[in-house]
Amino acid sequence: MHTVDEFINGFMDELNFGRGVSLARSSRNDRYIALSKAVRQNLQARWMKTLARQYEQQAKSVAYLSAEYLLGRQLDNALLATGMTEVVEEGLGALGLTLDDLRGQETEPGLGNGGLGRLAACFVDSLATMSVPCIGYGIRYEYGIFRQEFEDGWQVEHSDRWLALGNPWEFPHPEHAVTVHFGGSTQTYTDENGRERTRWLPAWDVQGVPYNYMVPGYRNGRVNTLRLWSARATRAFDLRIFNAGDYVEAVRAQTFAENISKVLYPEDSTPQGKELRLQQQYFFVACSLRDQLENVLPKQFDLTKLPDRVIFQLNDTHPVIAVPELMRLLVDEKGMEWDDAWAITQKCFAYTCHTLLPEALEVWSAELLGKLLPRHLEIIYKINEIFLDEIRAAYPGDEIKLRRMSIITDHPERSVRMAYLATIAGSKVNGVAALHSQLLRDKVFPEFSAYWPDKFTNVTNGITPRRFLRLSNPGLSELITETLGDEGWVTDLDRLRELEPHADDPAFRERFRAVKAANKQTLAQVLVTRDSITLPTDVMYDVMVKRLHEYKRQTLKLLHIVTLYEQIISGKIAVEDVMPRAFLFGAKAAPGYRIAKEIIALINAVGKTINNDPQVQGRLTVAFPANYNVTLAERLIPAADLSEQISLAGKEASGTGNMKFALNGALTIGTDDGANVEIRELVGDDNFFLFGMLEPEVEATIAKGYSPVSVYESDPQLKATIDLIASGHFSDGDRNRFEPVVSNLLGEDRFLTLADYAAYLEAQKRVEAAYADPDDWSRKAILNVARCGFFSSDRSMVDYIDRIWHTPAITQ
Ligand code: NBG
């Protein structure tokens, strides 16, 4: 399908015979689906070829186990990968249609919460582009991340019916469904060779139906697979009840089974220990392991060679139940000796930790685990017992160490520490940025890293330059390609270094600024139609988009805005002396996270007051479009001048938004946290606005006994700012309205917002001074682009391959 005519034929076939409609009678959805199917045809041959090659070469592959994939829209990515955009534009044009209109019809698959899920999507993109065999495994949630709306500024959640109009990007394979068991009990018995064995007698089961998605490499003819599992009731289950004559109960049972893949848990970073979530976790890893052993590997495969063929990467603790599952398969089902099975298991897993918040490390109650997965609990106990014997021998008499390293903890109730299980089982444990990996070693797993110093490593996160530069920022991409002479940078992002000398070229800066200005125009148009938000386009765009979390400190940004506003209305500064800015927010709060929702309401209330106050009009604008998602990110990031990365030092594992902004030519105002550290090192101190306490200072401040109220009392501007919020100025005089946020700040301030306030204001002054010199600002911004090639997820993949996976690329 390389010519316009071929495309038109393919499209019309899909429309007429796939959708059963004529062009004249087709809906926009018909046309979008026909278009997607015509485009995907181009990928399918490559897909089959890729799989065949992989099979022939018996290549080792990565099985990426992730409960989340935040994919973003598929159509544009498929067009980019196949290089079909122009042909399609022309073909549609000949039919009186536009690509722009049809791409708007796609609902993005929001099968993830935030950075962790988006990272998984970037990684599979990079592996496909690098011709490394990989299969991504996850869950096909019927409802992805909720759709956020604001009612009176308050977040309300609506279900995300992303599949309602049909999904042209998936290939269901019900004939390859696998059965997964739950509950029941275990039984020991003696086998024919006189060996003592255990079998699991489960109580109920469900089927996992695989849905395959194509993961196209960038113009390299390769397409990897993402396999998402959907739960459905097993026949046996229904039949028993149908036969008992209870039709209604049978249908209800079906719903019960299908609930497993119904909805994504909307918690980001801080999971809830709910039974359904454990069911989801076991469901998808059990399906995936079975798929590997029974469908992907050749029949009669010698399982002692498993580590030569597959590495299961555990994306955080969510899939860690795969460890006892593999042990169960090898020992109970394949009859292997425990020690042999354990040796294989230890080589087949590696674990990525994505957090530093203690409350985010998953812990499952032993009671719940035992009820749902009795055999797995026994296996975990045995792994722990053998491990603790080893530790006892290494550190005789050290009971404290044993308790600290045990997978099982007894407080506050007997439970299983999944991160420890993953650390003990995994061949490697990695953090996601240099600072994070160091803090993991020193603070989260100190005993483990002392015992196994070589097990711990770092792989700094990355982002795919295909989606987050080439697709989302066509203007800058064109400028780069023109300047570098070819498009090689799209798969070799280090080449952006060649832009450096151009940072000093006034003509280049001018063009660079023109791109940014055009991106602001585009964003402003999007926000008018999407949200009825009107933005000035000739001001600085100061952007903070990420999940709403106290540690990320959206309130610090808010205090800055209220401070500027307070200074104007109280006459401390003349409005003309304030640098014009638009403050843009995007953030979803977990539905049960009360204070986060209060903060959203406060941002909206402050925005409403400021935007309607004639005293500041045109100077300060606050915009908070609802339902921030990948599609909106692709518009917001290229338009940003200033990127807000202001988490409390030592709390943000990495951040990946920070990388996207810098790569698109925004300057960062940020703390010394996560990957900000590496961004600053690479772009240079002069091109980054650093502020705030360093991680050891944070520790020291807390150790001394931090008192937010005394910071408030000793800083008159901070006091005036908080008092303005407390006075009811943003809530029609209602002083109680934002009391929860105010008292949270003054009473507890867990993330030291007030302690960093003065430093943040001072850094914002530096920002203003720098922005006042457009030429110099552009120079800094260009250097950010030029020096951020390191943050390509292709580089992250090289690091994973070298340090953890050892999976070579396959040859065509
Ligand atoms: C998040 C971290 C981010 C990081 C992403 C991807 C979780 C548990 N962790 O800092 O908070 O960038 O993971 O690694 O969602």
Side-chain angles (χ1 to χ4, degrees):
M1 206 179 280
H2 301 294
T3 68
V4 174
D5 284 344
E6 281 167 345
F7 165 71
I8 293 179
N9 287 338
F11 172 76
M12 288 308 295
D13 274 0
E14 290 291 353
L15 200 60
N16 297 155
F17 309 121
R19 303 295 296 170
V21 290
S22 65
L23 182 56
R25 297 192 61 86
S26 63
S27 65
R28 187 165 89 140
N29 194 54
D30 287 325
R31 291 176 225 141
Y32 158 70
I33 289 184
L35 168 60
S36 301
K37 290 201 167 168
V39 173
R40 87 177 192 182
Q41 275 186 28
N42 257 24
L43 291 170
Q44 279 169 283
R46 307 178 191 202
W47 197 14
M48 285 179 268
K49 205 170 101 196
T50 303
L51 291 172
R53 286 276 180 284
Q54 219 158 289
Y55 196 79
E56 274 162 33
Q57 300 186 16
Q58 309 261 307
K60 179 173 179 183
S61 68
V62 181
Y64 200 78
L65 297 178
S66 177
E68 302 189 8
Y69 290 89
L70 192 45
L71 295 172
R73 286 181 176 171
Q74 297 297 293
L75 174 60
D76 276 320
N77 192 51
L79 287 173
L80 178 71
T82 48
M84 280 176 74
T85 312
E86 270 107 59
V87 166
V88 165
E89 269 172 347
E90 208 177 305
L92 290 175
L95 298 170
L97 307 172
T98 69
L99 177 56
D100 219 26
D101 177 51
L102 297 192
R103 68 158 64 93
Q105 181 67 23
E106 180 173 355
T107 312
E108 72 168 67
L111 309 183
N113 274 289
L116 175 139
R118 184 53 237 177
L119 186 79
C122 285
F123 283 4
V124 294
D125 175 273
S126 282
L127 289 170
T129 296
M130 296 162 71
S131 294
V132 176
C134 165
I135 175 160
Y137 284 114
I139 302 175
R140 178 182 175 274
Y141 300 104
E142 200 177 320
Y143 298 93
I145 185 67
F146 63 85
R147 188 165 49 77
Q148 178 193 53
E149 283 184 16
F150 296 136
E151 281 174 19
D152 289 331
W154 183 257
Q155 167 178 301
V156 279
E157 300 91 25
H158 296 270
S159 61
D160 163 49
R161 294 162 50 86
W162 72 288
L163 293 166
L165 294 177
N167 178 2
W169 300 104
E170 63 184 19
F171 296 81
H173 283 284
E175 74 286 6
H176 289 146
V178 297
T179 304
V180 177
H181 304 278
F182 289 97
S185 55
T186 63
Q187 189 184 57
T188 50
Y189 67 102
T190 310
D191 71 7
E192 57 277 18
N193 304 320
R195 278 167 60 206
E196 179 94 337
R197 310 261 306 260
T198 305
R199 66 164 76 94
W200 177 18
L201 305 169
W204 55 282
D205 49 30
V206 299
Q207 282 198 328
V209 177
Y211 282 68
N212 294 334
Y213 288 71
M214 297 182 285
V215 183
Y218 177 77
R219 300 189 186 168
N220 64 347
R222 292 193 51 94
V223 178
N224 280 348
T225 305
L226 174 63
R227 185 159 296 154
L228 304 181
W229 299 97
S230 178
R232 75 168 185 207
T234 52
R235 278 253 197 92
F237 202 83
D238 310 341
L239 271 181
R240 268 202 313 274
I241 312 171
F242 271 117
N243 288 341
D246 195 341
Y247 170 76
V248 172
E249 181 53 26
V251 175
R252 201 196 62 77
Q254 207 161 311
T255 317
F256 175 78
E258 286 164 9
N259 263 341
I260 290 184
S261 57
K262 190 65 80 187
V263 57
L264 168 77
Y265 272 93
E267 275 74 37
D268 178 73
S269 291
T270 39
Q272 281 182 27
K274 292 269 178 66
E275 178 168 353
L276 180 60
R277 189 170 166 100
L278 183 57
Q279 289 177 11
Q280 291 184 334
Q281 296 183 350
Y282 179 63
F283 166 72
F284 97 89
V285 302
C287 290
S288 309
L289 291 189
R290 201 165 278 291
D291 186 52
Q292 279 291 317
L293 298 194
E294 283 173 15
N295 300 327
V296 177
L297 290 173
K299 297 271 167 281
Q300 311 298 327
F301 181 77
D302 171 7
L303 285 171
T304 60
K305 303 264 161 27
L306 193 61
D308 302 334
R309 294 298 297 275
V310 64
I311 173 88
F312 294 104
Q313 186 65 34
L314 302 165
N315 196 26
D316 220 59
T317 49
H318 320 146
V320 172
I321 197 71
V323 169
E325 172 66 359
L326 184 60
M327 285 300 287
R328 187 188 71 80
L329 292 171
L330 297 179
V331 174
D332 295 1
E333 293 198 4
K334 307 285 179 189
M336 233 181 239
E337 294 295 337
W338 178 277
D339 291 346
D340 299 336
W342 183 241
I344 294 171
T345 299
Q346 278 196 307
K347 289 194 200 110
C348 283
F349 285 102
Y351 161 53
T352 306
C353 177
H354 292 265
T355 191
L356 282 161
L357 305 179
E359 66 268 35
L361 292 172
E362 276 184 308
V363 169
W364 288 107
S365 101
E367 195 196 327
L368 174 60
L369 241 167
K371 194 178 93 189
L372 203 64
L373 301 165
R375 179 59 183 142
H376 297 76
L377 183 61
E378 286 177 4
I379 291 172
I380 293 169
Y381 280 144
K382 183 156 176 188
I383 293 173
N384 196 41
E385 217 174 88
I386 296 172
F387 170 68
L388 291 184
D389 282 345
E390 193 183 316
I391 296 302
R392 223 173 259 122
Y395 306 96
D398 193 343
E399 278 305 310
I400 294 179
K401 182 146 322 238
L402 279 186
R403 236 174 297 137
R404 288 218 176 115
M405 297 179 82
S406 172
I407 299 172
I408 308 299
T409 165
D410 280 319
H411 301 285
E413 58 169 338
R414 175 157 271 242
S415 22
V416 180
R417 300 194 267 217
M418 301 308 270
Y420 288 13
L421 175 56
T423 301
I424 291 163
S427 55
K428 293 281 174 179
V429 176
N430 76 285
V432 290
L435 173 67
H436 174 238
S437 296
Q438 192 55 48
L439 292 171
L440 278 187
R441 277 186 279 245
D442 297 348
K443 303 262 152 86
V444 184
F445 305 114
E447 291 84 7
F448 291 97
S449 74
Y451 187 60
W452 282 310
D454 296 337
K455 197 181 263 216
F456 289 80
T457 185
N458 172 247
V459 178
T460 298
N461 281 168
I463 56 176
T464 169
R466 268 74 64 189
R467 183 175 292 269
F468 290 107
L469 181 51
R470 177 64 185 76
L471 265 183
S472 63
N473 200 340
L476 183 55
S477 295
E478 241 176 80
L479 180 58
I480 295 170
T481 301
E482 214 187 292
T483 312
L484 268 52
D486 61 85
E487 267 206 342
W489 59 271
V490 178
T491 50
D492 180 7
L493 207 60
D494 281 330
R495 285 198 52 202
L496 295 182
R497 282 269 173 197
E498 295 167 32
L499 292 174
E500 267 199 41
H502 299 272
D504 291 318
D505 169 4
F508 184 83
R509 288 183 200 157
E510 187 64 48
R511 292 185 63 193
F512 183 87
R513 271 199 297 279
V515 168
K516 188 62 83 183
N519 291 344
K520 287 184 187 176
Q521 296 278 359
T522 310
L523 174 65
Q525 271 159 24
V526 168
L527 292 185
V528 168
T529 26
R530 183 187 184 275
D531 305 270
S532 308
I533 290 174
T534 319
L535 274 188
T537 50
D538 54 351
V539 301
M540 170 192 269
Y541 280 14
D542 176 343
V543 186
M544 183 162 191
V545 286
K546 47 186 80 257
R547 283 295 290 249
L548 202 308
H549 223 293
E550 289 166 278
Y551 83 80
K552 295 180 187 280
R553 302 199 297 191
Q554 277 92 350
T555 40
L556 183 56
K557 177 75 253 162
L558 191 70
L559 289 177
H560 172 230
I561 299 171
V562 175
T563 297
L564 292 173
Y565 176 67
E566 194 280 334
Q567 289 172 336
I568 297 170
I569 62 172
S570 67
K572 285 180 210 155
I573 48 175
V575 70
E576 304 75 44
D577 294 337
V578 174
M579 189 191 74
R581 284 201 218 206
F583 300 96
L584 291 115
F585 287 92
K588 288 179 183 176
Y593 188 177
R594 190 76 202 179
I595 194 75
K597 292 175 112 173
E598 294 286 357
I599 293 167
I600 287 180
L602 178 56
I603 297 171
N604 277 323
V606 167
K608 192 169 165 197
T609 306
I610 291 183
N611 295 344
N612 290 318
D613 189 336
Q615 290 182 81
V616 296
Q617 212 134 70
R619 290 272 151 182
L620 304 181
T621 312
V622 181
F624 193 162
N627 202 40
Y628 175 64
N629 58 10
V630 178
T631 308
L632 184 59
E634 288 168 15
R635 297 301 196 176
L636 271 167
I637 293 167
D641 296 301
L642 187 64
S643 158
E644 299 275 351
Q645 309 299 338
I646 60 180
S647 53
L648 176 63
K651 298 296 173 198
E652 189 70 272
S654 161
T656 42
N658 47 4
M659 302 168 185
K660 293 168 196 163
F661 280 101
L663 183 63
N664 282 275
L667 301 197
T668 306
I669 181 164
T671 46
D672 206 48
D673 200 16
N676 294 355
V677 177
E678 286 151 89
I679 293 178
R680 184 172 56 87
E681 276 166 11
L682 281 163
V683 306
D685 285 329
D686 293 346
N687 308 308
F688 186 107
F689 301 96
L690 175 69
F691 77 97
M693 283 178 282
L694 308 182
E695 194 277 333
E697 297 173 66
V698 170
E699 295 270 294
T701 308
I702 294 170
K704 271 198 319 240
Y706 169 61
S707 156
V709 117
S710 32
V711 182
Y712 159 85
E713 272 159 4
S714 60
D715 181 336
Q717 181 57 58
L718 175 60
K719 186 166 185 310
T721 299
I722 292 185
D723 289 350
L724 188 65
I725 297 171
S727 74
H729 186 86
F730 302 107
S731 43
D732 299 322
D734 180 353
R735 293 165 157 271
N736 290 326
R737 179 63 198 85
F738 294 114
E739 195 276 332
V741 180
V742 171
S743 64
N744 190 280
L745 276 180
L746 295 181
E748 191 186 9
D749 192 17
R750 234 186 109 198
F751 298 101
L752 281 61
T753 308
L754 304 193
D756 270 343
Y757 168 80
Y760 182 54
L761 286 197
E762 178 276 325
Q764 287 287 3
K765 286 267 170 249
R766 281 186 273 139
V767 168
E768 288 182 18
Y771 198 72
D773 180 349
D775 228 29
D776 195 45
W777 182 277
S778 309
R779 195 179 151 274
K780 292 179 191 301
I782 294 163
L783 289 176
N784 266 263
V785 179
R787 295 174 180 174
C788 277
F790 175 77
F791 297 107
S792 167
S793 45
D794 302 349
R795 189 271 316 149
S796 304
M797 294 300 90
V798 169
D799 289 350
Y800 272 96
I801 291 165
D802 286 354
R803 296 170 197 172
I804 303 175
W805 298 336
H806 314 294
T807 45
I810 70 161
T811 44
Q812 292 297 335

